[in-house]
Amino acid sequence: MSEQKAQDKFIAMVSATADVTLPLSDFHPRCMLTTPRHEVSLPRFPVIDYHNHLDAQDPKYVLDIMDACGIEHIVNITMKVGEQAIRMMDRYRLADAARFSTIGWMDWAGVERDDFVSVSVDRLERLVEHGAVGFKFWKDLGLSVRDASGQLLHVDDERLAPIFDKAGQLGIPVMMHIGDPEAFFLPIDANNERFEELAAHPDWSFFGAEFSKHELLDQRDRVFKRHPGTTFVAAHIAENAEDLRRVSAMLDANPNVLVDISARASELGRQPYSARKFFLRFADRILFGADLVPEVEMYRLYYRFLETADEYFEYPTHASRQGRWNIYGMDLPEDVLRKVYRDNALRLLPNLK
């Protein structure tokens, strides 16, 4: 820098930097914006939470939260398998069969056996006979489950086809959570926008995984295409909320797929223009879901995000948050809210009609 620039007060001001020693975890800035704030205590329409995990919760406590927040029904995605899954289904059915349903969980026990797929079909049939309203494949498929030869099982492995076909025959949707946010496949370093979240949960990192995130999504999409007679729910905005154009293309190509918004208000809310267009275009194929411990304020943040045009407020999340940003409301019209909150889920839950 020339001597003249070095002496210029404006240049010195705009080029100044600092070495900050404050730990990131201790940095909690208060927003100084003064903008309209609309608290939404109750949703505009009754809500079906199609994606939550209640295994560790007290059903009576959850019912109190539901009553306080206008939640008509919650679908518990149990993470139990076998007899434990049956007991969990019984627990919530006995608590209130009109307010709770259960989606079963894929059991990989015995995956190395030659008869594993036929056993899995039998397991699925038993869950449905006991009242399961869906069946979930989690991200361990494609990331950690291995066959008898020790090879990582592909999401689109044709050996699994009878399971997807059976779900279609039984008339229940298959939920797919394949992959994770983009940041989970990157190094946990100063460039990772979810650094704090991954520092709190290092086991959530898939950096260096055998398949990239987009290879996993491509495998999943081939499953959607191969099984047009089966309804699929691609959880968490199809695990690609960072790229709504790709999600839109997937939905266009696969009319048998819906998505849920669970745990993705953080991503949708920082791109409110694109997200609103997405909701308007696919209003018939988006499901409300929380994927967070039931709490009054958590649900009310979701409602504020969906129903208002408020700017720059906190999103519903877990303790470590998902990233250091805030969100903007989408101010969705009533016809879209009605579908997202309730009507789309009713198509997958015929017993509630």
Side-chain angles (χ1 to χ4, degrees):
M1 181 182 295
S2 68
E3 182 178 349
Q4 181 179 0
K5 287 185 177 180
Q7 293 174 350
D8 186 278
K9 291 182 179 180
F10 180 76
I11 296 298
M13 177 185 69
V14 299
S15 60
T17 60
D19 290 325
V20 179
T21 59
L22 178 70
L24 183 59
S25 57
D26 291 340
F27 181 55
H28 303 292
R30 290 180 297 162
C31 179
M32 296 293 101
L33 287 176
T34 301
T35 57
R37 179 185 180 96
H38 301 89
E39 303 295 345
V40 184
S41 297
L42 291 171
R44 210 164 299 175
F45 304 100
V47 167
I48 295 174
D49 182 351
Y50 191 80
H51 186 140
N52 219 317
H53 300 279
L54 306 179
D55 288 355
Q57 305 300 316
D58 178 351
K60 293 181 180 179
Y61 166 80
V62 177
L63 284 166
D64 287 342
I65 299 295
M66 294 168 69
D67 290 341
C69 297
I71 305 291
E72 174 184 355
H73 195 88
I74 294 184
V75 178
N76 176 36
I77 305 169
T78 182
M79 299 178 76
K80 307 290 186 182
V81 296
E83 291 303 317
Q84 288 186 320
I86 299 298
R87 287 195 293 271
M88 187 60 65
M89 293 170 67
D90 288 342
R91 182 179 181 221
Y92 276 94
R93 180 167 50 246
L94 291 172
D96 195 328
R99 305 291 297 279
F100 298 110
S101 297
T102 301
I103 287 177
W105 193 264
M106 179 62 185
D107 185 356
W108 294 107
V111 67
E112 72 286 349
R113 292 169 41 177
D114 292 338
D115 63 347
F116 172 72
V117 171
S118 63
V119 169
S120 295
V121 168
D122 291 342
R123 290 169 177 166
L124 172 57
E125 288 181 323
R126 182 161 186 252
L127 286 172
V128 173
E129 288 169 0
H130 209 76
V133 298
F135 194 56
K136 182 171 181 178
F137 282 80
W138 197 48
K139 60 188 174 184
D140 47 0
L141 176 59
L143 286 169
S144 63
V145 177
R146 296 182 180 274
D147 63 17
S149 70
Q151 295 296 308
L152 199 62
L153 199 61
H154 292 217
V155 179
D156 60 344
D157 191 305
E158 293 187 355
R159 289 172 290 183
L160 301 176
I163 304 173
F164 298 117
D165 286 337
K166 175 56 69 171
Q169 294 165 15
L170 294 171
I172 63 163
V174 174
M175 181 176 284
M176 301 284 278
H177 173 169
I178 301 299
D180 259 332
E182 299 282 350
F184 287 20
F185 289 80
L186 300 174
I188 307 176
D189 60 19
N191 296 311
N192 194 309
E193 67 176 1
R194 292 186 181 234
F195 176 85
E196 288 171 283
E197 181 181 31
L198 290 167
H201 306 280
D203 55 312
W204 291 2
S205 173
F206 298 111
F207 177 63
E210 185 171 330
F211 298 124
S212 71
K213 171 178 173 172
H214 291 281
E215 287 174 329
L216 292 169
L217 295 185
D218 287 344
Q219 292 176 21
R220 179 205 63 189
D221 292 355
R222 285 193 285 273
V223 174
F224 295 161
K225 183 67 68 177
R226 289 176 184 171
H227 301 277
T230 300
T231 298
F232 292 91
V233 175
H236 313 303
I237 304 291
E239 279 304 350
N240 209 192
E242 303 94 333
D243 187 354
L244 293 179
R245 287 180 297 180
R246 189 191 190 286
V247 180
S248 297
M250 181 276 292
L251 288 172
D252 285 338
N254 299 283
N256 56 324
V257 179
L258 296 87
V259 299
D260 75 42
I261 69 170
S262 61
R264 292 299 178 268
S266 57
E267 296 293 350
L268 296 168
R270 60 174 173 163
Q271 49 179 329
Y273 305 138
S274 297
R276 192 176 195 275
K277 291 177 181 177
F278 178 83
F279 272 70
L280 295 180
R281 181 178 176 192
F282 294 106
D284 294 318
R285 298 171 67 184
I286 301 173
L287 302 161
F288 179 88
D291 194 32
L292 291 167
V293 174
E295 294 177 348
V296 170
E297 290 309 313
M298 178 273 290
Y299 280 118
R300 289 176 177 172
L301 278 174
Y302 267 113
Y303 305 156
R304 187 180 178 194
F305 162 58
L306 294 169
E307 296 188 22
T308 79
D310 284 5
E311 298 175 297
Y312 203 72
F313 56 94
E314 291 188 356
Y315 53 83
T317 186
H318 48 71
S320 60
R321 290 177 60 85
Q322 294 174 310
R324 281 193 168 256
W325 59 79
N326 282 345
I327 65 170
Y328 302 81
M330 291 194 296
D331 193 21
L332 294 174
E334 288 198 349
D335 61 325
V336 174
L337 287 171
R338 185 183 291 107
K339 292 175 181 180
V340 172
Y341 275 151
R342 185 174 186 268
D343 289 357
N344 294 339
L346 283 177
R347 301 205 310 268
L348 306 183
L349 300 167
N351 291 339
L352 293 187
K353 295 181 180 179

